[in-house]
Amino acid sequence: MLPWRPTLLLLDWDSTLTATSTLPLLASLSTFPLPHPSLAALTAAYNTALNTHNTAYTPLPHRRTSIPQELAYLDSLSCVERQSVERVEREGVFKGVTGEVVRRGARECVGEGWVRLRRGWEGAVGEVLRREFGRVGVISVAWSRGFIQSTLEAACEGSELCERVGDVRVMANEILGDGSGMLDRYFEEEGEGSRRRRGLWTAGDKLRGMRELVGERFSRECRERDGDGGSEEVKPWTVYVGDSPTDLACLLEADVGVCVRDDGEGSGEQKALRETLERVGVECKHVRGFVGKRERGGSRLWWAGDFEEVRVSGVLG
């Protein structure tokens, strides 16, 4: 019999927990509901910087055929992401945006149907939170912690889950609440000293955040559940759900990694992740084929179209 382990469900945000990206809405909070006038230029600048980086980076995609090679490439994108964040700050995209503006914007986005959460999310999240020591977290390279939390609260308003959704731990970049338009930096840059900080920007940053959540100590009652006297940590059964190459490291680290696809092939970032997995030799099957916790293996992931499929598959333990 396998030892008892509490469930830790970790979710990406944009196009995983949500049906589509929320970035255009976030970037327009200061001009809501009109799009921010700098948004198109910032998007073009980001794409140009990314294309320039990709052209210069070696090995090229068709030669990156191993997981370590692909993870190294994903981490190399840190410079592109840092420059993008600094452009956003210089343009004042979030100038005048306070915490209250973020919370109000999130509620309006849900109320107007501009942000929709993926089918079955309440069932999956609620099931884990109702379990003994079950935990749920969101790990995102997007903005913002306040927006994500407020969106979840608004989306489950009136349901039983609303009493528990505040327990969802959100790790994401944040807009400073003073109206300055600046963004926070979540981590200290390794080897650069305390004055050099970075946000949650890359696959490696998400993995660092995931390990932080997995490593958080459970209470003594949890460790004593199997009568071990609290002498050892209980490692949670970790399930990670994501949709893009930025989720690759976390998907592979989890006991079960689930890729979101709107259909078997996926499109956009979903397709990019599928093609990456095929290139580096990672098998990905539909979750209906999951047969139990002994299925764990770094060479296999799973895919699902929504959270109802995730919930009924058994991957949550």
Side-chain angles (χ1 to χ4, degrees), residues 38 77 79 98 100 102 169 226 236 244 284 291 317:
S38 298
L77 296 174
C79 59
T98 63
E100 177 54 33
V102 170
R169 172 74 184 278
D226 291 326
S244 76
C284 190
V291 296

Side-chain angles (χ1 to χ4, degrees), residues 41-299:
L42 286 168
T43 301
Y46 177 84
N47 289 334
T48 297
L50 180 61
N51 290 336
T52 299
H53 178 84
N54 287 343
T55 300
Y57 186 87
T58 56
L60 294 172
H62 69 281
R63 295 189 180 276
R64 297 198 299 269
T65 56
S66 71
I67 292 170
Q69 285 178 322
E70 193 61 25
L71 293 179
Y73 160 72
L74 291 169
D75 279 348
S76 77
L77 296 174
S78 177
C79 59
V80 177
E81 300 300 331
R82 179 182 289 279
Q83 291 166 5
S84 176
V85 167
E86 291 172 351
R87 281 193 295 271
V88 167
E89 290 175 329
R90 285 196 303 271
E91 288 294 323
V93 170
F94 295 114
K95 189 77 171 175
V97 174
T98 63
E100 177 54 33
V101 170
V102 170
R103 290 187 291 272
R104 187 171 61 247
R107 291 192 296 269
E108 185 171 355
C109 284
V110 172
E112 295 291 339
W114 299 329
V115 173
R116 294 181 298 104
L117 300 190
R118 194 169 291 275
R119 175 180 175 268
W121 80 276
E122 285 188 70
V125 169
E127 178 175 319
V128 173
L129 290 177
R130 285 191 297 270
R131 292 180 181 180
E132 187 177 18
F133 304 107
R135 292 185 297 168
V136 177
V138 175
I139 307 177
S140 176
V141 296
W143 309 297
S144 75
R145 291 190 296 277
F147 185 86
I148 293 171
Q149 191 67 58
S150 296
T151 298
L152 294 176
E153 292 169 359
C156 69
E157 199 167 86
S159 73
E160 179 187 342
L161 180 59
C162 206
E163 299 176 3
R164 300 175 180 269
V165 77
D167 294 331
V168 175
R169 172 74 184 278
V170 178
M171 298 185 76
N173 301 297
E174 188 59 282
I175 305 161
L176 297 186
D178 58 4
S180 65
M182 303 300 287
L183 303 164
D184 73 350
R185 305 289 193 270
Y186 197 89
F187 297 121
E188 286 187 8
E189 192 91 73
E190 291 184 13
E192 294 287 350
S194 60
R195 294 188 179 182
R196 177 78 165 178
R197 301 189 67 85
R198 61 183 293 128
L200 267 160
W201 295 336
T202 67
D205 295 329
K206 294 192 77 168
L207 179 60
R208 187 174 173 182
M210 175 180 176
R211 287 173 174 170
E212 189 175 303
L213 290 180
V214 171
E216 287 182 347
R217 296 177 65 86
F218 284 80
S219 66
R220 175 172 293 277
E221 290 82 4
C222 178
R223 299 198 301 276
E224 288 178 345
R225 183 184 185 278
D226 291 326
D228 65 4
S231 59
E232 296 181 5
E233 292 293 325
V234 175
K235 287 195 66 176
W237 172 256
T238 304
V239 179
Y240 185 90
V241 186
D243 73 298
S244 76
T246 310
D247 296 303
L248 180 61
C250 292
L251 288 165
L252 295 172
E253 177 93 352
D255 291 294
V256 176
V258 181
C259 307
V260 168
R261 295 179 186 170
D262 294 326
D263 53 54
E265 297 298 309
S267 59
E269 289 292 278
Q270 297 175 6
K271 181 180 180 182
L273 176 58
R274 176 179 62 79
E275 292 175 344
T276 296
L277 295 177
E278 292 171 354
R279 179 161 41 80
V280 300
V282 176
E283 185 180 31
C284 190
K285 293 187 174 183
H286 192 274
V287 288
R288 72 171 66 93
F290 185 82
V291 296
K293 288 187 175 182
R294 296 187 186 278
E295 284 278 5
R296 188 189 191 283
S299 61

